[in-house]
């Protein structure tokens, strides 16, 4: 690669070397030959990139940067040098789309081309993909000599990490340059839930605030073949278009950049379903200029009710009987300014369900968002007498304390199960729906149309507890308490089973190697799950990665399954072909996203064997003659190890090749492995006891406040003898 006088920050040095920021600070203090700052300020120094690389190479750290990190660095350095290249961000997006369809050998060959030939190759590739991307201008594509470093890094990133990884880096960089705010990715488990709330398999789906295209991708996984998206940020629209073409190559993708409320790009589109996570709390959404817009069939939204404008925009694009699913802030359900519109949505039968999510489910993380499910009324259709309310927030978050602070990890398995079970039962027969006290309740339309029309699920579901049978609730409490006692005893036995001695006066130190080094040496194999659309290269060389059976019949182990300790809960949804890796007993599974607390790694057991690794799971297959699986899982999932191998700001993505493992004899590995197995069992017992304690407390509190249970020591006869339950 050509020499460069570009400068890097200490943070970039840490990513290039695969170490923490603290390690770089130590290098600066302890090594006199560490490169002197060549720019910046005293508090934020900059270092010459080539000098840093030469220094790292002399200490064996030259190749620690991942391809995506190398691409990220090259993009920043090109900007720093004054935009020496001619390639625009949209040209690079086109190049990602083209490169994702090339085999490994072709991408490797591209990285080795002389500068002039590389520029010409990239020019041809980007132009060839322009016809597939809406509004792309093939005549405007232009790369120059100043783009060479970025082009090499981009081809390498697509080759080693896939098109989506390269796409994410490009979009991240452009969002930083545009100073855009409020651009957040909808978490994949939440996107999947929203898509699954639409009954059947809608063919034509719209997302009028599509962002990076996560919701449309979830719809494509469930069979949608016409995907329409619109976003006010051009960078998000371009990213969404290319991402969807990579994820769903068989679908027709149409994405536009404009404000959906003010400049609807699809005024005549009639969709089977609308999925949307719109912006919240926007006062300048066009209230005055859109006062007479025909979309406001349920009432003109107030200036403070942009969310209700999005709701009606979605309904206006639906075919009769079509469904819209929107993620909204809780204030939408009860704010006084939206009462009249809410009343019309309920009265007309358009609103079918409101589902409360736990805090932490999506940005903003400090509040519990809500999912609104709506259906466009059909002329002459059946009267809709009730609305479903579900509260998934109760017992859906496991709180953990670390370093004096509390954080939460969403139990996506529990949230999804509660929401879908209640929704499916309600849609099958709304009139016969019984619900579950404290969780799900169908409320009559007449009961909702009061002075405030408050649609908050927690309030309406809580009222249904009074319908529970006292004897049945008492028996349920007794059974749950017995389970809790057994779990507490098991936890105490596990916690007191081992003794842990100090390592000495100072912490133990050891030589380490990266997972990439161990993979090159044959000690382990790193298997990646790649969607059909970007898996154009043979994976047989991974050594037995083929599934040996239809992928659609297998379960998928997700990142949240690792967090919660559950078995595989995901569904393939068309993401896999017969070359997909299949989990075997003894594989080590590591979460690819480090945003949530909880275990980052575990060893696959019998309940995991035969499942497919999810798209946010890294699969390590150790050679048992050289690496102990539990030893490997313990160190791969270590907090400091994960922090040193993670990149990103909003979403922390783990680079598997950068994770480090101590170099120890196999016998010593096994001793550590047994210790890590014990830690795993302790965590599992603690999780079980915590869950049962929360469930027992929920049942007791609900029974006492609902009138089904009496305080300890009192009987029903004694209460009646005191003259009932009214205070005097």
């Amino acid at each position: 690669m050509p020499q460069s006088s570009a400068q890097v920050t200490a943070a970039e040095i840490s990513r290039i070397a695969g170490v923490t920021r603290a390690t770089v600070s130590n290098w600066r203090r302890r090594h006199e030959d560490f490169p002197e700052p060549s720019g910046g300020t005293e508090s934020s120094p900059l270092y010459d990139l080539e000098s840093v690389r030469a220094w790292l190479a002399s200490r064996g750290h030259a190749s620690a940067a991942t391809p995506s990190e190398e691409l990220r660095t090259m993009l920043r350095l090109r900007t720093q040098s004054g935009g020496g290249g001619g390639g625009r961000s949209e040209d690079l997006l086109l190049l990602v789309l083209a490169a994702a369809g090339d085999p490994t050998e072709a991408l490797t060959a591209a990285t080795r081309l002389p500068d002039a030939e590389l520029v010409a190759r990239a020019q041809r590739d980007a132009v060839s993909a322009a016809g597939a991307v809406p509004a792309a201008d093939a005549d405007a594509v232009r790369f120059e000599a100043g783009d060479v470093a970025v082009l090499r890094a981009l081809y390498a990133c697509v080759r080693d990490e896939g098109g989506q990884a390269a796409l994410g880096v490009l979009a991240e960089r452009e969002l930083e340059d545009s100073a855009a705010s409020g651009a957040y990715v909808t978490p994949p488990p939440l996107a999947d839930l929203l898509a699954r709330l639409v009954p059947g398999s809608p063919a034509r789906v719209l997302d009028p605030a599509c962002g990076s295209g996560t919701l449309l991708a979830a719809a494509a996984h469930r069979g949608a073949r016409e995907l329409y998206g619109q976003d006010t940020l051009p960078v998000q629209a371009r990213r969404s278009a290319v991402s969807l073409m990579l994820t769903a190559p068989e679908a027709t993708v149409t994405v536009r950049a404009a404000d959906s409320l003010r400049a609807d790009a699809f005024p005549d589109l009639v969709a089977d379903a609308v999925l949307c996570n719109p912006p919240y709390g926007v006062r300048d959404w066009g209230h005055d200029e859109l006062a007479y817009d025909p979309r406001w069939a349920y009432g003109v939204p107030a200036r403070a009710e942009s969310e209700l404008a999005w709701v009606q925009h979605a309904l206006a694009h639906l075919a009769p009987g079509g469904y819209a699913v929107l993620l909204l802030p809780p204030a939408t359900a009860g704010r006084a300014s939206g009462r009249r519109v809410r009343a019309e949505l309920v009265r007309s039968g358009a609103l079918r369900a409101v589902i409360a999510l736990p805090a932490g489910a999506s940005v903003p993380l400090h509040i519990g968002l809500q999912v609104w499910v709506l259906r466009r009324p059909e002329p002459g259709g059946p009267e809709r007498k009730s609305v479903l309310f579900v509260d998934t927030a109760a017992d859906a978050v496991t709180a953990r304390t670390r370093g004096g602070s509390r954080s939460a990890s969403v139990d996506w398995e529990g949230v999804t199960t509660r929401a879908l079970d209640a929704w499916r039962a309600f849609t099958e027969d709304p009139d016969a729906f019984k619900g579950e006290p404290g969780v799900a309740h169908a409320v009559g339309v007449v009961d909702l149309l009061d002075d405030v029309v408050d649609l908050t699920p927690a309030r309406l579901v809580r009222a249904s507890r009074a319908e529970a049978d006292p004897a049945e609730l008492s028996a349920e409490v007794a059974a749950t308490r017995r389970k809790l006692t057994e779990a507490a005893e098991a936890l105490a036995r596990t916690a007191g089973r081992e003794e842990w001695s100090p390592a000495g006066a100072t912490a133990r130190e050891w030589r380490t190697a990266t997972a990439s080094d161990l993979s090159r040496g044959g000690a382990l194999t790193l298997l990646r799950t790649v969607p059909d659309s970007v898996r154009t290269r043979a994976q047989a060389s991974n050594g037995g990665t083929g599934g040996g059976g239809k992928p659609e019949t297998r379960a998928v182990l997700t990142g949240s399954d690792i967090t919660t300790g559950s078995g595989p809960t995901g569904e393939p949804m068309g993401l896999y072909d017969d070359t997909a890796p299949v989990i075997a007993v003894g594989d080590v599974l590591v979460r690819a996203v480090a945003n949530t607390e909880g275990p980052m790694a575990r060893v696959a057991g019998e309940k995991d064997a035969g499942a497919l690794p999810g798209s946010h799971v890294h699969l390590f297959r150790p050679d048992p003659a050289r690496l102990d699986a539990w030893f490997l899982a313990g160190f791969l999932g270590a907090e400091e190890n994960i922090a040193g191998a993670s990149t990103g700001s909003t979403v922390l993505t783990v680079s598997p090749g950068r994770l480090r493992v101590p170099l120890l004899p196999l016998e010593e590995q096994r001793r550590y492995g047994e210790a890590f197995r014990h830690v795993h069992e302790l965590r599992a017992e603690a999780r079980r006891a915590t869950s049962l304690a929360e469930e027992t407390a929920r049942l007791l509190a609900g029974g006492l406040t609902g009138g089904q249970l009496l305080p300890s020591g009192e009987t029903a006869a004694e209460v009646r003898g005191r003259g009932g339950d009214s205070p005097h």
Side-chain angles (χ1 to χ4, degrees):
M1 191 174 294
Q3 294 293 311
S4 170
S5 59
Q7 297 174 309
V8 291
T9 64
E12 286 168 332
I13 295 174
S14 71
R15 291 195 289 263
I16 292 171
V19 298
T20 64
R21 288 283 302 276
T23 300
V24 176
S25 296
N26 286 335
W27 286 345
R28 293 171 55 192
R29 290 193 303 267
R30 295 171 57 185
H31 297 283
E32 294 182 357
D33 62 338
F34 189 84
E36 291 292 329
S38 58
T41 64
E42 184 175 346
S43 59
S44 301
L46 294 174
Y47 303 85
D48 179 77
L49 174 62
E50 295 307 324
S51 298
V52 168
R53 280 180 165 160
W55 189 89
L56 292 173
S58 68
R59 286 159 176 77
H61 289 286
S63 61
T66 63
S68 57
E69 189 54 50
E70 181 76 3
L71 175 59
R72 185 177 287 107
T73 300
M74 291 303 104
L75 286 167
R76 192 191 73 80
L77 296 181
R78 186 181 67 163
T79 302
Q80 180 192 91
S81 63
R88 304 169 304 164
S89 59
E90 49 263 51
D91 299 340
L92 293 172
L93 290 176
L94 294 175
L95 184 55
V96 169
L97 182 60
D102 287 341
T104 300
E105 296 76 11
L107 295 173
T108 299
T111 64
R112 297 172 179 171
L113 289 172
D115 291 1
E117 294 182 26
L118 175 64
V119 170
R121 160 71 187 268
Q123 182 86 12
R124 291 194 303 271
D125 284 353
V127 169
S128 70
V133 178
D137 185 359
D139 295 332
V141 175
R142 179 171 57 91
F143 293 116
E144 297 176 352
D147 296 313
V148 166
V150 170
L151 296 177
R152 291 190 198 280
L154 187 146
Y155 277 116
C157 184
V158 173
R159 178 194 63 195
D160 296 341
E161 299 186 37
Q164 292 287 6
L167 181 63
V169 173
L170 294 177
E172 173 189 298
R173 184 66 195 172
E174 189 169 351
L175 282 172
E176 291 176 357
D177 292 343
S178 66
S181 61
Y184 303 106
V185 176
T186 304
L190 178 55
D192 179 56
L193 171 59
L194 267 58
R196 293 172 70 179
L197 286 168
V198 178
S201 298
R204 181 179 297 180
V205 179
L206 166 70
D207 183 351
C210 64
S212 60
T214 309
L215 292 177
L216 289 174
H221 296 159
R222 305 204 66 79
R225 285 296 171 261
E226 292 184 43
L227 306 175
Y228 297 87
Q230 185 170 349
D231 197 274
T232 187
L233 293 175
V235 55
Q236 290 288 68
R238 290 192 293 265
R239 176 187 185 182
S240 180
V242 175
S243 178
L244 290 170
M245 290 175 186
L246 293 175
T247 303
E250 298 178 358
T252 301
V253 176
T254 308
V255 181
R256 298 286 182 262
D259 183 334
S260 289
L261 295 183
R262 284 189 168 96
D264 187 359
F266 309 105
D268 300 321
L269 175 64
V270 178
D272 302 315
V274 175
L275 302 176
C276 189
N277 180 1
Y280 309 145
V282 178
R283 300 185 70 86
D284 182 23
W285 57 269
H287 172 267
D288 295 337
E289 62 209 80
L290 299 174
Y292 300 101
D293 197 288
R295 287 173 291 182
W296 315 146
Y298 303 89
V300 179
R303 189 180 302 276
E305 296 292 346
S306 64
E307 295 84 7
L308 291 177
W310 285 102
V311 166
Q312 296 191 73
H313 176 80
L315 284 168
H317 274 292
L318 286 175
Y323 284 87
V325 182
L326 290 89
L327 185 66
L328 301 172
T332 309
R335 206 157 34 204
S337 56
R339 181 185 66 82
R340 290 188 178 181
V341 174
R342 291 196 301 273
E344 286 304 313
L345 291 170
V346 170
R347 185 179 290 111
S348 67
L351 182 65
R352 304 305 301 128
V354 180
I355 302 169
L357 300 174
S362 186
V363 177
L365 300 175
H366 64 286
I367 63 174
L369 300 173
Q370 295 176 358
V371 179
W372 283 33
V373 184
L374 304 107
R375 188 179 189 186
R376 181 161 184 171
E378 302 165 275
E383 181 184 4
R384 291 158 186 167
K385 303 176 182 178
S386 60
V387 178
L388 172 67
F389 294 89
V390 183
D391 186 6
T392 70
D395 200 32
V397 174
T398 302
R400 297 178 177 86
T401 303
R402 190 183 76 181
S405 63
R406 293 182 66 82
S407 58
S409 173
V410 176
D411 174 15
W412 280 111
E413 179 185 9
V415 168
T416 302
T417 299
R418 284 186 173 185
L420 292 180
D421 285 355
W423 172 239
R424 288 165 180 164
F426 177 75
T427 54
E428 286 176 3
D429 191 345
D431 295 334
F433 180 76
K434 298 297 183 183
E436 179 182 349
V439 176
H441 186 45
V443 182
V445 168
V446 174
D447 296 326
L448 293 172
L449 296 175
D450 54 17
D451 292 338
V452 293
V453 195
D454 190 342
L455 306 178
T456 303
R459 181 182 72 86
L460 296 164
V461 166
R462 189 163 52 240
S464 70
R465 289 182 179 144
E467 302 172 4
D469 180 83
E472 291 181 1
L473 182 58
S474 178
E476 186 179 0
V477 169
T480 305
R481 287 179 62 195
R482 284 193 297 272
K483 293 178 182 178
L484 173 58
T485 301
E486 295 170 0
E489 292 172 350
L491 176 60
R493 288 194 300 271
T494 304
R497 199 170 69 203
E498 300 286 346
E499 294 293 334
W500 310 91
S501 57
T506 60
R508 184 178 181 184
E509 296 183 358
W510 35 53
R511 290 175 56 233
T512 63
T514 65
S516 293
D517 293 334
L518 295 174
S519 178
R520 284 191 290 269
L524 62 80
T525 304
L526 175 57
L527 306 179
R528 291 184 175 89
T529 297
V530 184
D532 290 346
S533 55
V534 295
R535 191 193 290 108
T536 58
R537 61 213 64 150
Q539 294 184 347
S541 59
N542 282 338
T545 63
K550 294 183 177 180
E552 62 268 21
T553 64
R554 298 180 181 273
V556 174
L557 189 135
T558 67
S560 61
D561 294 333
I562 297 176
T563 302
T564 62
S566 71
T569 62
E571 299 178 13
M573 298 185 297
L575 273 174
Y576 303 84
D577 64 16
D578 57 7
T579 68
V582 174
I583 297 172
V585 174
D587 286 345
V588 177
L589 309 163
V590 179
R591 285 163 45 198
V593 177
N595 284 60
T596 56
E597 294 272 342
M600 284 296 299
R602 81 175 189 215
V603 177
E606 294 291 345
K607 66 180 180 181
D608 306 318
L612 301 167
S615 58
H616 289 80
V617 172
H618 298 306
L619 192 157
F620 297 80
R621 181 162 295 163
D623 177 355
R626 301 171 64 181
L627 282 174
D628 179 82
W630 280 103
F631 161 82
L632 182 64
F635 279 100
L636 289 180
E639 180 180 339
E640 185 173 348
N641 204 3
I642 293 294
S646 298
T647 59
S649 52
T650 304
V651 177
L652 298 177
T653 303
V654 178
S655 300
R658 292 174 56 187
L659 293 169
R660 307 191 76 88
V661 182
L663 299 175
L664 299 177
L666 185 59
E667 192 59 38
E668 190 170 5
Q669 290 182 36
R670 288 170 177 160
R671 289 196 293 272
Y672 273 95
E674 281 302 312
F676 285 126
R677 187 196 298 269
H678 175 81
V679 171
H680 172 78
E681 293 171 357
L682 180 63
R683 180 179 278 129
E685 292 292 354
R687 185 187 298 114
R688 177 168 171 259
T690 300
S691 177
L692 286 168
E694 291 289 347
E695 179 66 9
T696 301
R698 185 183 70 83
L699 291 171
L700 285 170
L704 290 168
T705 57
Q708 292 91 356
L709 300 179
L710 297 175
S712 178
E714 285 197 326
T715 66
E718 290 172 338
V719 172
R720 287 195 299 271
R722 290 198 298 268
D725 51 13
S726 298
H728 295 284

